[in-house]
Amino acid sequence: MLVLGLESSCDETGVALFDTERGLLGDAIYSQIALHAEYGGVVPELASRDHVRKALPLIREVLTGAGKTTADLDGVAYTAGPGLIGALLVGAAIGRSLAWGLGIPAIGVHHMEGHLLAPMLENSVPDFPFIALLVSGGHTMLVRVDGVGRYRILGETLDDAAGEAFDKTAKLLGLPYPGGPELARLAEQGDPSRFHFPRPMTDRPGLDFSFSGLKTFALNTLQALAPTETDKADVARAFEDAVVETLAIKCRRALQETGISRLVIAGGVGANRQLRARLAEIARKEGGAVFYPRPKYCTDNGAMIAYAGALRLAAGAQELNVIGARARWNLDSLEPPDQQRAS
Ligand code: KG4
Ligand code: ZN
C-alpha cells in the first residue's frame, strides 16, 4: 500500500511517501524558519499561507523523486491535529481533496502519534509495550504504548513544554528563533560546574513536569550578571543540564514503575544530543534499550505522518469524508486502527 503523508501542523511543510512493503520511498520538507524569524516566533496566518504555497510543489517533488504519480497512490494521510488550526486545515483540505479526486481513502493522523511511531522508521525498532518520552515545542509527556492507538499518558507538563522552555530561554540569551538547537550549540561551550539550576518536580512522586520555573531561574541568573558571552554559555549549559536531568529522572522512574525496559524518545527536543546520550545511559542501567528516530525525523516531518497513516489505513481504519482538524486533541482518546470506523 502506497501512502502519501502531509504534515502542516506548525511551521514546516512535510511530504513523504511510505510503502507498507518497501518502506519510505521519499520525503521532503520545507521549513518556514526564515519567514517567522523576524517576528521571534510562528505567526499562524503566515504559516497557513506558506503551507498553501509549498504543499503542491513538494508533493510533486516527492512523487517525481520516487518515480511515482498520483495514480500509484493507495491512500493519503495528513496531520489532523493538534496544532495551528489554519495550518492544519491546509493539509486536511489538500489531503482530503486529493484522495477524493483519486477515489482512495484519506486519514487524519494525530501529530503526536506520528512522533511516537517515528522510531519505527529506523532499522532497530522497539517491541510493544514501550515507554515514550514525547518532547516537542508544544508537548512534554511520558506515554505507555501498548500498541498502535493504545496510549496511556503517565505524566505531562503542567506549564511549558520542554521545547518551549528551550525556545523562551534561548530568547532571553539573545539567540534567534527557534532557539532550542541554538541554545544547545551555545551550551557545548559552557562550564557545567558554574551554575546549578533546579530539577523541577523531581523531589516528589509522580511523572508530571514543570519547566516554566527554569526560564525564570535563567532570567534571574542573567539579570544578576550583565552577562558576557562566556556567562551566557554557562547559563545555557546549566539550563540544558537541568532539563536533560529532569527528563532523565522521570524516564527512569517511568521505567521502574511500569517494569518496561524499552524507552522511545521522539519530538523535536529528542534531537538534543545531550538528552539522547543521557537517556541511552539510563535505559542501559535499567537493563533495557533506548530507541530514537534519526534527528531529522525527531523534528516535524512528513515521513512520520505517512507511516502512521499507512499503518492505520492498512489495518482498515476508516473515517468520514469530511475536511476537518483539531487544534486540541488528546492522544489517549485515539483508538487502535481496527476499531477506527467511520460513523
Ligand atoms: O516536534 P517539533 O519539531 O515541533 C513541534 O511539534 O513542536 O519540536 C520543535 C521543538 C522546538 O521547541 C525546538 O526548539 C526544539 O524542538 N528543538 C530542540 C533541539 N532541536 C529542536 N531543543 C533542544 N535541543 C535541540 N537540539
Ligand atoms: Zn511536532
Side-chain angles (χ1 to χ4, degrees), residues 9 12 111-112 115 135-138 163-164 166-167 178-181 184 240 267-269 271-273 298-300:
S9 66
E12 250 115 24
H111 182 79
M112 300 314 285
H115 276 307
V135 270
S136 71
E164 189 180 358
F166 262 98
D167 294 340
E240 185 181 49
V269 184
N272 184 279
R273 269 200 274 157
C298 271
T299 46
D300 290 350

mmCIF file with all atom_site columns, all heavy atoms in Angstrom, residues 9 12 111-112 115 135-138 163-164 166-167 178-181 184 240 267-269 271-273 298-300, ligand 1:
data_model
loop_
_atom_site.group_PDB
_atom_site.id
_atom_site.type_symbol
_atom_site.label_atom_id
_atom_site.label_alt_id
_atom_site.label_comp_id
_atom_site.label_asym_id
_atom_site.label_entity_id
_atom_site.label_seq_id
_atom_site.pdbx_PDB_ins_code
_atom_site.Cartn_x
_atom_site.Cartn_y
_atom_site.Cartn_z
_atom_site.occupancy
_atom_site.B_iso_or_equiv
_atom_site.pdbx_formal_charge
_atom_site.auth_seq_id
_atom_site.auth_comp_id
_atom_site.auth_asym_id
_atom_site.auth_atom_id
_atom_site.pdbx_PDB_model_num
ATOM   1   N N   . SER A 1 9   ? 1.247  21.045 10.622 1.00 0.00 ? 9   SER A N   1
ATOM   2   C CA  . SER A 1 9   ? 0.618  21.489 11.874 1.00 0.00 ? 9   SER A CA  1
ATOM   3   C C   . SER A 1 9   ? 1.214  22.773 12.424 1.00 0.00 ? 9   SER A C   1
ATOM   4   O O   . SER A 1 9   ? 0.610  23.432 13.262 1.00 0.00 ? 9   SER A O   1
ATOM   5   C CB  . SER A 1 9   ? 0.719  20.390 12.931 1.00 0.00 ? 9   SER A CB  1
ATOM   6   O OG  . SER A 1 9   ? 2.069  20.185 13.279 1.00 0.00 ? 9   SER A OG  1
ATOM   7   N N   . GLU A 1 12  ? 6.436  23.818 9.475  1.00 0.00 ? 12  GLU A N   1
ATOM   8   C CA  . GLU A 1 12  ? 7.134  23.002 8.492  1.00 0.00 ? 12  GLU A CA  1
ATOM   9   C C   . GLU A 1 12  ? 6.123  22.333 7.582  1.00 0.00 ? 12  GLU A C   1
ATOM   10  O O   . GLU A 1 12  ? 5.146  21.768 8.058  1.00 0.00 ? 12  GLU A O   1
ATOM   11  C CB  . GLU A 1 12  ? 7.936  21.899 9.199  1.00 0.00 ? 12  GLU A CB  1
ATOM   12  C CG  . GLU A 1 12  ? 9.414  22.097 9.137  1.00 0.00 ? 12  GLU A CG  1
ATOM   13  C CD  . GLU A 1 12  ? 10.015 22.341 10.500 1.00 0.00 ? 12  GLU A CD  1
ATOM   14  O OE1 . GLU A 1 12  ? 9.408  21.925 11.494 1.00 0.00 ? 12  GLU A OE1 1
ATOM   15  O OE2 . GLU A 1 12  ? 11.088 22.974 10.551 1.00 0.00 ? 12  GLU A OE2 1
ATOM   16  N N   . HIS A 1 111 ? -0.770 14.264 15.336 1.00 0.00 ? 111 HIS A N   1
ATOM   17  C CA  . HIS A 1 111 ? 0.639  14.657 15.198 1.00 0.00 ? 111 HIS A CA  1
ATOM   18  C C   . HIS A 1 111 ? 1.551  13.920 16.192 1.00 0.00 ? 111 HIS A C   1
ATOM   19  O O   . HIS A 1 111 ? 2.646  13.476 15.836 1.00 0.00 ? 111 HIS A O   1
ATOM   20  C CB  . HIS A 1 111 ? 0.733  16.174 15.413 1.00 0.00 ? 111 HIS A CB  1
ATOM   21  C CG  . HIS A 1 111 ? 2.103  16.737 15.265 1.00 0.00 ? 111 HIS A CG  1
ATOM   22  N ND1 . HIS A 1 111 ? 2.680  16.991 14.042 1.00 0.00 ? 111 HIS A ND1 1
ATOM   23  C CD2 . HIS A 1 111 ? 3.024  17.103 16.184 1.00 0.00 ? 111 HIS A CD2 1
ATOM   24  C CE1 . HIS A 1 111 ? 3.891  17.490 14.215 1.00 0.00 ? 111 HIS A CE1 1
ATOM   25  N NE2 . HIS A 1 111 ? 4.120  17.567 15.511 1.00 0.00 ? 111 HIS A NE2 1
ATOM   26  N N   . MET A 1 112 ? 1.082  13.766 17.439 1.00 0.00 ? 112 MET A N   1
ATOM   27  C CA  . MET A 1 112 ? 1.931  13.128 18.445 1.00 0.00 ? 112 MET A CA  1
ATOM   28  C C   . MET A 1 112 ? 2.026  11.624 18.221 1.00 0.00 ? 112 MET A C   1
ATOM   29  O O   . MET A 1 112 ? 3.020  10.998 18.596 1.00 0.00 ? 112 MET A O   1
ATOM   30  C CB  . MET A 1 112 ? 1.431  13.442 19.865 1.00 0.00 ? 112 MET A CB  1
ATOM   31  C CG  . MET A 1 112 ? 1.402  14.926 20.214 1.00 0.00 ? 112 MET A CG  1
ATOM   32  S SD  . MET A 1 112 ? 2.898  15.837 19.759 1.00 0.00 ? 112 MET A SD  1
ATOM   33  C CE  . MET A 1 112 ? 4.026  15.291 21.022 1.00 0.00 ? 112 MET A CE  1
ATOM   34  N N   . HIS A 1 115 ? 4.875  11.390 15.883 1.00 0.00 ? 115 HIS A N   1
ATOM   35  C CA  . HIS A 1 115 ? 6.164  11.466 16.601 1.00 0.00 ? 115 HIS A CA  1
ATOM   36  C C   . HIS A 1 115 ? 6.472  10.148 17.313 1.00 0.00 ? 115 HIS A C   1
ATOM   37  O O   . HIS A 1 115 ? 7.590  9.637  17.281 1.00 0.00 ? 115 HIS A O   1
ATOM   38  C CB  . HIS A 1 115 ? 6.122  12.584 17.640 1.00 0.00 ? 115 HIS A CB  1
ATOM   39  C CG  . HIS A 1 115 ? 6.441  13.946 17.090 1.00 0.00 ? 115 HIS A CG  1
ATOM   40  N ND1 . HIS A 1 115 ? 7.580  14.217 16.369 1.00 0.00 ? 115 HIS A ND1 1
ATOM   41  C CD2 . HIS A 1 115 ? 5.779  15.124 17.176 1.00 0.00 ? 115 HIS A CD2 1
ATOM   42  C CE1 . HIS A 1 115 ? 7.608  15.509 16.030 1.00 0.00 ? 115 HIS A CE1 1
ATOM   43  N NE2 . HIS A 1 115 ? 6.515  16.076 16.503 1.00 0.00 ? 115 HIS A NE2 1
ATOM   44  N N   . VAL A 1 135 ? 8.801  14.883 23.514 1.00 0.00 ? 135 VAL A N   1
ATOM   45  C CA  . VAL A 1 135 ? 9.272  16.219 23.906 1.00 0.00 ? 135 VAL A CA  1
ATOM   46  C C   . VAL A 1 135 ? 9.356  17.106 22.668 1.00 0.00 ? 135 VAL A C   1
ATOM   47  O O   . VAL A 1 135 ? 10.274 16.991 21.876 1.00 0.00 ? 135 VAL A O   1
ATOM   48  C CB  . VAL A 1 135 ? 10.660 16.159 24.608 1.00 0.00 ? 135 VAL A CB  1
ATOM   49  C CG1 . VAL A 1 135 ? 10.511 16.011 26.095 1.00 0.00 ? 135 VAL A CG1 1
ATOM   50  C CG2 . VAL A 1 135 ? 11.535 15.033 24.056 1.00 0.00 ? 135 VAL A CG2 1
ATOM   51  N N   . SER A 1 136 ? 8.361  17.986 22.551 1.00 0.00 ? 136 SER A N   1
ATOM   52  C CA  . SER A 1 136 ? 8.352  18.864 21.373 1.00 0.00 ? 136 SER A CA  1
ATOM   53  C C   . SER A 1 136 ? 8.170  20.303 21.826 1.00 0.00 ? 136 SER A C   1
ATOM   54  O O   . SER A 1 136 ? 8.268  20.615 23.013 1.00 0.00 ? 136 SER A O   1
ATOM   55  C CB  . SER A 1 136 ? 7.235  18.440 20.429 1.00 0.00 ? 136 SER A CB  1
ATOM   56  O OG  . SER A 1 136 ? 5.997  18.763 20.996 1.00 0.00 ? 136 SER A OG  1
ATOM   57  N N   . GLY A 1 137 ? 7.866  21.171 20.861 1.00 0.00 ? 137 GLY A N   1
ATOM   58  C CA  . GLY A 1 137 ? 7.664  22.575 21.203 1.00 0.00 ? 137 GLY A CA  1
ATOM   59  C C   . GLY A 1 137 ? 6.341  22.801 21.923 1.00 0.00 ? 137 GLY A C   1
ATOM   60  O O   . GLY A 1 137 ? 6.178  23.755 22.678 1.00 0.00 ? 137 GLY A O   1
ATOM   61  N N   . GLY A 1 138 ? 5.377  21.897 21.701 1.00 0.00 ? 138 GLY A N   1
ATOM   62  C CA  . GLY A 1 138 ? 4.051  22.079 22.287 1.00 0.00 ? 138 GLY A CA  1
ATOM   63  C C   . GLY A 1 138 ? 3.709  21.058 23.357 1.00 0.00 ? 138 GLY A C   1
ATOM   64  O O   . GLY A 1 138 ? 2.748  21.241 24.102 1.00 0.00 ? 138 GLY A O   1
ATOM   65  N N   . GLY A 1 163 ? 10.436 21.958 24.840 1.00 0.00 ? 163 GLY A N   1
ATOM   66  C CA  . GLY A 1 163 ? 10.914 22.729 23.687 1.00 0.00 ? 163 GLY A CA  1
ATOM   67  C C   . GLY A 1 163 ? 10.604 24.210 23.836 1.00 0.00 ? 163 GLY A C   1
ATOM   68  O O   . GLY A 1 163 ? 11.418 25.077 23.489 1.00 0.00 ? 163 GLY A O   1
ATOM   69  N N   . GLU A 1 164 ? 9.433  24.480 24.392 1.00 0.00 ? 164 GLU A N   1
ATOM   70  C CA  . GLU A 1 164 ? 9.014  25.869 24.631 1.00 0.00 ? 164 GLU A CA  1
ATOM   71  C C   . GLU A 1 164 ? 9.968  26.530 25.628 1.00 0.00 ? 164 GLU A C   1
ATOM   72  O O   . GLU A 1 164 ? 10.373 27.683 25.457 1.00 0.00 ? 164 GLU A O   1
ATOM   73  C CB  . GLU A 1 164 ? 7.587  25.811 25.198 1.00 0.00 ? 164 GLU A CB  1
ATOM   74  C CG  . GLU A 1 164 ? 6.868  27.097 25.328 1.00 0.00 ? 164 GLU A CG  1
ATOM   75  C CD  . GLU A 1 164 ? 5.460  26.864 25.919 1.00 0.00 ? 164 GLU A CD  1
ATOM   76  O OE1 . GLU A 1 164 ? 5.061  25.695 26.173 1.00 0.00 ? 164 GLU A OE1 1
ATOM   77  O OE2 . GLU A 1 164 ? 4.769  27.874 26.135 1.00 0.00 ? 164 GLU A OE2 1
ATOM   78  N N   . PHE A 1 166 ? 13.080 25.669 26.152 1.00 0.00 ? 166 PHE A N   1
ATOM   79  C CA  . PHE A 1 166 ? 14.321 25.888 25.402 1.00 0.00 ? 166 PHE A CA  1
ATOM   80  C C   . PHE A 1 166 ? 14.209 27.177 24.579 1.00 0.00 ? 166 PHE A C   1
ATOM   81  O O   . PHE A 1 166 ? 15.110 28.017 24.586 1.00 0.00 ? 166 PHE A O   1
ATOM   82  C CB  . PHE A 1 166 ? 14.593 24.715 24.442 1.00 0.00 ? 166 PHE A CB  1
ATOM   83  C CG  . PHE A 1 166 ? 15.573 23.697 24.977 1.00 0.00 ? 166 PHE A CG  1
ATOM   84  C CD1 . PHE A 1 166 ? 15.125 22.530 25.581 1.00 0.00 ? 166 PHE A CD1 1
ATOM   85  C CD2 . PHE A 1 166 ? 16.936 23.899 24.855 1.00 0.00 ? 166 PHE A CD2 1
ATOM   86  C CE1 . PHE A 1 166 ? 16.021 21.586 26.062 1.00 0.00 ? 166 PHE A CE1 1
ATOM   87  C CE2 . PHE A 1 166 ? 17.847 22.969 25.329 1.00 0.00 ? 166 PHE A CE2 1
ATOM   88  C CZ  . PHE A 1 166 ? 17.390 21.800 25.938 1.00 0.00 ? 166 PHE A CZ  1
ATOM   89  N N   . ASP A 1 167 ? 13.094 27.315 23.861 1.00 0.00 ? 167 ASP A N   1
ATOM   90  C CA  . ASP A 1 167 ? 12.943 28.470 22.967 1.00 0.00 ? 167 ASP A CA  1
ATOM   91  C C   . ASP A 1 167 ? 12.872 29.786 23.743 1.00 0.00 ? 167 ASP A C   1
ATOM   92  O O   . ASP A 1 167 ? 13.465 30.782 23.356 1.00 0.00 ? 167 ASP A O   1
ATOM   93  C CB  . ASP A 1 167 ? 11.689 28.304 22.088 1.00 0.00 ? 167 ASP A CB  1
ATOM   94  C CG  . ASP A 1 167 ? 11.817 27.130 21.126 1.00 0.00 ? 167 ASP A CG  1
ATOM   95  O OD1 . ASP A 1 167 ? 12.958 26.696 20.864 1.00 0.00 ? 167 ASP A OD1 1
ATOM   96  O OD2 . ASP A 1 167 ? 10.784 26.634 20.643 1.00 0.00 ? 167 ASP A OD2 1
ATOM   97  N N   . PRO A 1 178 ? 14.290 29.451 15.795 1.00 0.00 ? 178 PRO A N   1
ATOM   98  C CA  . PRO A 1 178 ? 13.840 28.789 17.009 1.00 0.00 ? 178 PRO A CA  1
ATOM   99  C C   . PRO A 1 178 ? 15.050 28.431 17.855 1.00 0.00 ? 178 PRO A C   1
ATOM   100 O O   . PRO A 1 178 ? 16.011 27.870 17.375 1.00 0.00 ? 178 PRO A O   1
ATOM   101 C CB  . PRO A 1 178 ? 13.142 27.539 16.483 1.00 0.00 ? 178 PRO A CB  1
ATOM   102 C CG  . PRO A 1 178 ? 13.863 27.221 15.200 1.00 0.00 ? 178 PRO A CG  1
ATOM   103 C CD  . PRO A 1 178 ? 14.456 28.515 14.684 1.00 0.00 ? 178 PRO A CD  1
ATOM   104 N N   . GLY A 1 179 ? 14.995 28.792 19.113 1.00 0.00 ? 179 GLY A N   1
ATOM   105 C CA  . GLY A 1 179 ? 16.203 28.814 19.923 1.00 0.00 ? 179 GLY A CA  1
ATOM   106 C C   . GLY A 1 179 ? 16.734 27.490 20.430 1.00 0.00 ? 179 GLY A C   1
ATOM   107 O O   . GLY A 1 179 ? 17.900 27.416 20.821 1.00 0.00 ? 179 GLY A O   1
ATOM   108 N N   . GLY A 1 180 ? 15.893 26.439 20.453 1.00 0.00 ? 180 GLY A N   1
ATOM   109 C CA  . GLY A 1 180 ? 16.331 25.167 21.041 1.00 0.00 ? 180 GLY A CA  1
ATOM   110 C C   . GLY A 1 180 ? 17.695 24.695 20.557 1.00 0.00 ? 180 GLY A C   1
ATOM   111 O O   . GLY A 1 180 ? 18.638 24.569 21.356 1.00 0.00 ? 180 GLY A O   1
ATOM   112 N N   . PRO A 1 181 ? 17.832 24.466 19.246 1.00 0.00 ? 181 PRO A N   1
ATOM   113 C CA  . PRO A 1 181 ? 19.114 23.981 18.740 1.00 0.00 ? 181 PRO A CA  1
ATOM   114 C C   . PRO A 1 181 ? 20.242 24.987 18.949 1.00 0.00 ? 181 PRO A C   1
ATOM   115 O O   . PRO A 1 181 ? 21.387 24.592 19.212 1.00 0.00 ? 181 PRO A O   1
ATOM   116 C CB  . PRO A 1 181 ? 18.871 23.778 17.238 1.00 0.00 ? 181 PRO A CB  1
ATOM   117 C CG  . PRO A 1 181 ? 17.404 23.866 17.021 1.00 0.00 ? 181 PRO A CG  1
ATOM   118 C CD  . PRO A 1 181 ? 16.793 24.530 18.208 1.00 0.00 ? 181 PRO A CD  1
ATOM   119 N N   . ALA A 1 184 ? 21.402 24.751 22.500 1.00 0.00 ? 184 ALA A N   1
ATOM   120 C CA  . ALA A 1 184 ? 22.191 23.521 22.679 1.00 0.00 ? 184 ALA A CA  1
ATOM   121 C C   . ALA A 1 184 ? 23.610 23.716 22.152 1.00 0.00 ? 184 ALA A C   1
ATOM   122 O O   . ALA A 1 184 ? 24.577 23.253 22.769 1.00 0.00 ? 184 ALA A O   1
ATOM   123 C CB  . ALA A 1 184 ? 21.506 22.360 21.959 1.00 0.00 ? 184 ALA A CB  1
ATOM   124 N N   . GLU A 1 240 ? 20.369 23.602 30.064 1.00 0.00 ? 240 GLU A N   1
ATOM   125 C CA  . GLU A 1 240 ? 20.247 22.340 29.325 1.00 0.00 ? 240 GLU A CA  1
ATOM   126 C C   . GLU A 1 240 ? 20.438 21.146 30.267 1.00 0.00 ? 240 GLU A C   1
ATOM   127 O O   . GLU A 1 240 ? 19.666 20.179 30.223 1.00 0.00 ? 240 GLU A O   1
ATOM   128 C CB  . GLU A 1 240 ? 21.267 22.280 28.185 1.00 0.00 ? 240 GLU A CB  1
ATOM   129 C CG  . GLU A 1 240 ? 21.092 21.033 27.331 1.00 0.00 ? 240 GLU A CG  1
ATOM   130 C CD  . GLU A 1 240 ? 22.114 20.932 26.213 1.00 0.00 ? 240 GLU A CD  1
ATOM   131 O OE1 . GLU A 1 240 ? 23.327 21.106 26.502 1.00 0.00 ? 240 GLU A OE1 1
ATOM   132 O OE2 . GLU A 1 240 ? 21.734 20.687 25.077 1.00 0.00 ? 240 GLU A OE2 1
ATOM   133 N N   . GLY A 1 267 ? 9.996  13.630 19.116 1.00 0.00 ? 267 GLY A N   1
ATOM   134 C CA  . GLY A 1 267 ? 9.671  15.051 19.178 1.00 0.00 ? 267 GLY A CA  1
ATOM   135 C C   . GLY A 1 267 ? 10.949 15.862 19.055 1.00 0.00 ? 267 GLY A C   1
ATOM   136 O O   . GLY A 1 267 ? 12.053 15.338 19.283 1.00 0.00 ? 267 GLY A O   1
ATOM   137 N N   . GLY A 1 268 ? 10.782 17.140 18.704 1.00 0.00 ? 268 GLY A N   1
ATOM   138 C CA  . GLY A 1 268 ? 11.919 17.996 18.368 1.00 0.00 ? 268 GLY A CA  1
ATOM   139 C C   . GLY A 1 268 ? 13.061 17.999 19.378 1.00 0.00 ? 268 GLY A C   1
ATOM   140 O O   . GLY A 1 268 ? 14.232 17.937 18.993 1.00 0.00 ? 268 GLY A O   1
ATOM   141 N N   . VAL A 1 269 ? 12.745 18.041 20.686 1.00 0.00 ? 269 VAL A N   1
ATOM   142 C CA  . VAL A 1 269 ? 13.810 18.093 21.690 1.00 0.00 ? 269 VAL A CA  1
ATOM   143 C C   . VAL A 1 269 ? 14.584 16.758 21.710 1.00 0.00 ? 269 VAL A C   1
ATOM   144 O O   . VAL A 1 269 ? 15.721 16.694 22.178 1.00 0.00 ? 269 VAL A O   1
ATOM   145 C CB  . VAL A 1 269 ? 13.244 18.452 23.085 1.00 0.00 ? 269 VAL A CB  1
ATOM   146 C CG1 . VAL A 1 269 ? 14.345 18.599 24.118 1.00 0.00 ? 269 VAL A CG1 1
ATOM   147 C CG2 . VAL A 1 269 ? 12.433 19.743 23.013 1.00 0.00 ? 269 VAL A CG2 1
ATOM   148 N N   . ALA A 1 271 ? 15.988 15.618 19.383 1.00 0.00 ? 271 ALA A N   1
ATOM   149 C CA  . ALA A 1 271 ? 17.176 15.796 18.540 1.00 0.00 ? 271 ALA A CA  1
ATOM   150 C C   . ALA A 1 271 ? 18.365 16.263 19.386 1.00 0.00 ? 271 ALA A C   1
ATOM   151 O O   . ALA A 1 271 ? 19.499 16.288 18.907 1.00 0.00 ? 271 ALA A O   1
ATOM   152 C CB  . ALA A 1 271 ? 16.892 16.817 17.444 1.00 0.00 ? 271 ALA A CB  1
ATOM   153 N N   . ASN A 1 272 ? 18.113 16.626 20.639 1.00 0.00 ? 272 ASN A N   1
ATOM   154 C CA  . ASN A 1 272 ? 19.181 17.145 21.506 1.00 0.00 ? 272 ASN A CA  1
ATOM   155 C C   . ASN A 1 272 ? 20.182 16.040 21.860 1.00 0.00 ? 272 ASN A C   1
ATOM   156 O O   . ASN A 1 272 ? 19.817 15.011 22.422 1.00 0.00 ? 272 ASN A O   1
ATOM   157 C CB  . ASN A 1 272 ? 18.556 17.722 22.788 1.00 0.00 ? 272 ASN A CB  1
ATOM   158 C CG  . ASN A 1 272 ? 19.600 18.352 23.683 1.00 0.00 ? 272 ASN A CG  1
ATOM   159 O OD1 . ASN A 1 272 ? 20.290 17.670 24.419 1.00 0.00 ? 272 ASN A OD1 1
ATOM   160 N ND2 . ASN A 1 272 ? 19.720 19.657 23.591 1.00 0.00 ? 272 ASN A ND2 1
ATOM   161 N N   . ARG A 1 273 ? 21.439 16.308 21.527 1.00 0.00 ? 273 ARG A N   1
ATOM   162 C CA  . ARG A 1 273 ? 22.458 15.250 21.664 1.00 0.00 ? 273 ARG A CA  1
ATOM   163 C C   . ARG A 1 273 ? 22.700 14.832 23.101 1.00 0.00 ? 273 ARG A C   1
ATOM   164 O O   . ARG A 1 273 ? 22.863 13.663 23.413 1.00 0.00 ? 273 ARG A O   1
ATOM   165 C CB  . ARG A 1 273 ? 23.776 15.725 21.050 1.00 0.00 ? 273 ARG A CB  1
ATOM   166 C CG  . ARG A 1 273 ? 23.845 15.323 19.587 1.00 0.00 ? 273 ARG A CG  1
ATOM   167 C CD  . ARG A 1 273 ? 25.253 15.323 19.107 1.00 0.00 ? 273 ARG A CD  1
ATOM   168 N NE  . ARG A 1 273 ? 25.601 16.671 18.670 1.00 0.00 ? 273 ARG A NE  1
ATOM   169 C CZ  . ARG A 1 273 ? 26.830 17.145 18.605 1.00 0.00 ? 273 ARG A CZ  1
ATOM   170 N NH1 . ARG A 1 273 ? 27.851 16.407 18.964 1.00 0.00 ? 273 ARG A NH1 1
ATOM   171 N NH2 . ARG A 1 273 ? 27.063 18.357 18.174 1.00 0.00 ? 273 ARG A NH2 1
ATOM   172 N N   . CYS A 1 298 ? 13.017 13.415 14.256 1.00 0.00 ? 298 CYS A N   1
ATOM   173 C CA  . CYS A 1 298 ? 12.590 13.837 15.598 1.00 0.00 ? 298 CYS A CA  1
ATOM   174 C C   . CYS A 1 298 ? 11.772 15.104 15.460 1.00 0.00 ? 298 CYS A C   1
ATOM   175 O O   . CYS A 1 298 ? 10.695 15.244 16.043 1.00 0.00 ? 298 CYS A O   1
ATOM   176 C CB  . CYS A 1 298 ? 13.806 14.154 16.475 1.00 0.00 ? 298 CYS A CB  1
ATOM   177 S SG  . CYS A 1 298 ? 14.424 12.740 17.364 1.00 0.00 ? 298 CYS A SG  1
ATOM   178 N N   . THR A 1 299 ? 12.269 16.051 14.678 1.00 0.00 ? 299 THR A N   1
ATOM   179 C CA  . THR A 1 299 ? 11.517 17.279 14.453 1.00 0.00 ? 299 THR A CA  1
ATOM   180 C C   . THR A 1 299 ? 10.410 16.981 13.429 1.00 0.00 ? 299 THR A C   1
ATOM   181 O O   . THR A 1 299 ? 10.370 15.899 12.852 1.00 0.00 ? 299 THR A O   1
ATOM   182 C CB  . THR A 1 299 ? 12.458 18.397 13.949 1.00 0.00 ? 299 THR A CB  1
ATOM   183 O OG1 . THR A 1 299 ? 13.273 17.848 12.927 1.00 0.00 ? 299 THR A OG1 1
ATOM   184 C CG2 . THR A 1 299 ? 13.357 18.897 15.048 1.00 0.00 ? 299 THR A CG2 1
ATOM   185 N N   . ASP A 1 300 ? 9.521  17.946 13.225 1.00 0.00 ? 300 ASP A N   1
ATOM   186 C CA  . ASP A 1 300 ? 8.354  17.692 12.372 1.00 0.00 ? 300 ASP A CA  1
ATOM   187 C C   . ASP A 1 300 ? 8.760  17.264 10.963 1.00 0.00 ? 300 ASP A C   1
ATOM   188 O O   . ASP A 1 300 ? 9.695  17.810 10.390 1.00 0.00 ? 300 ASP A O   1
ATOM   189 C CB  . ASP A 1 300 ? 7.484  18.958 12.312 1.00 0.00 ? 300 ASP A CB  1
ATOM   190 C CG  . ASP A 1 300 ? 6.814  19.219 13.647 1.00 0.00 ? 300 ASP A CG  1
ATOM   191 O OD1 . ASP A 1 300 ? 6.875  18.332 14.529 1.00 0.00 ? 300 ASP A OD1 1
ATOM   192 O OD2 . ASP A 1 300 ? 6.231  20.303 13.811 1.00 0.00 ? 300 ASP A OD2 1
HETATM 193 O O1  . KG4 B 2 .   ? 8.489  18.359 17.238 1.00 0.00 ? 1   KG4 B O1  1
HETATM 194 P P1  . KG4 B 2 .   ? 8.877  19.721 16.807 1.00 0.00 ? 1   KG4 B P1  1
HETATM 195 O O2  . KG4 B 2 .   ? 9.687  19.861 15.540 1.00 0.00 ? 1   KG4 B O2  1
HETATM 196 O O3  . KG4 B 2 .   ? 7.630  20.644 16.636 1.00 0.00 ? 1   KG4 B O3  1
HETATM 197 C C1  . KG4 B 2 .   ? 6.544  20.555 17.490 1.00 0.00 ? 1   KG4 B C1  1
HETATM 198 O O4  . KG4 B 2 .   ? 5.689  19.663 17.262 1.00 0.00 ? 1   KG4 B O4  1
HETATM 199 O O5  . KG4 B 2 .   ? 6.536  21.356 18.455 1.00 0.00 ? 1   KG4 B O5  1
HETATM 200 O O6  . KG4 B 2 .   ? 9.672  20.371 18.026 1.00 0.00 ? 1   KG4 B O6  1
HETATM 201 C C2  . KG4 B 2 .   ? 10.204 21.667 17.957 1.00 0.00 ? 1   KG4 B C2  1
HETATM 202 C C3  . KG4 B 2 .   ? 10.888 21.985 19.270 1.00 0.00 ? 1   KG4 B C3  1
HETATM 203 C C4  . KG4 B 2 .   ? 11.307 23.450 19.345 1.00 0.00 ? 1   KG4 B C4  1
HETATM 204 O O7  . KG4 B 2 .   ? 10.934 23.951 20.608 1.00 0.00 ? 1   KG4 B O7  1
HETATM 205 C C5  . KG4 B 2 .   ? 12.820 23.377 19.198 1.00 0.00 ? 1   KG4 B C5  1
HETATM 206 O O8  . KG4 B 2 .   ? 13.489 24.438 19.808 1.00 0.00 ? 1   KG4 B O8  1
HETATM 207 C C6  . KG4 B 2 .   ? 13.124 22.055 19.863 1.00 0.00 ? 1   KG4 B C6  1
HETATM 208 O O9  . KG4 B 2 .   ? 12.080 21.210 19.443 1.00 0.00 ? 1   KG4 B O9  1
HETATM 209 N N1  . KG4 B 2 .   ? 14.431 21.503 19.453 1.00 0.00 ? 1   KG4 B N1  1
HETATM 210 C C7  . KG4 B 2 .   ? 15.481 21.349 20.287 1.00 0.00 ? 1   KG4 B C7  1
HETATM 211 C C8  . KG4 B 2 .   ? 16.545 20.830 19.511 1.00 0.00 ? 1   KG4 B C8  1
HETATM 212 N N2  . KG4 B 2 .   ? 16.103 20.689 18.230 1.00 0.00 ? 1   KG4 B N2  1
HETATM 213 C C9  . KG4 B 2 .   ? 14.810 21.107 18.222 1.00 0.00 ? 1   KG4 B C9  1
HETATM 214 N N3  . KG4 B 2 .   ? 15.606 21.594 21.604 1.00 0.00 ? 1   KG4 B N3  1
HETATM 215 C C10 . KG4 B 2 .   ? 16.784 21.318 22.170 1.00 0.00 ? 1   KG4 B C10 1
HETATM 216 N N4  . KG4 B 2 .   ? 17.863 20.836 21.507 1.00 0.00 ? 1   KG4 B N4  1
HETATM 217 C C11 . KG4 B 2 .   ? 17.799 20.582 20.181 1.00 0.00 ? 1   KG4 B C11 1
HETATM 218 N N5  . KG4 B 2 .   ? 18.857 20.084 19.542 1.00 0.00 ? 1   KG4 B N5  1
#
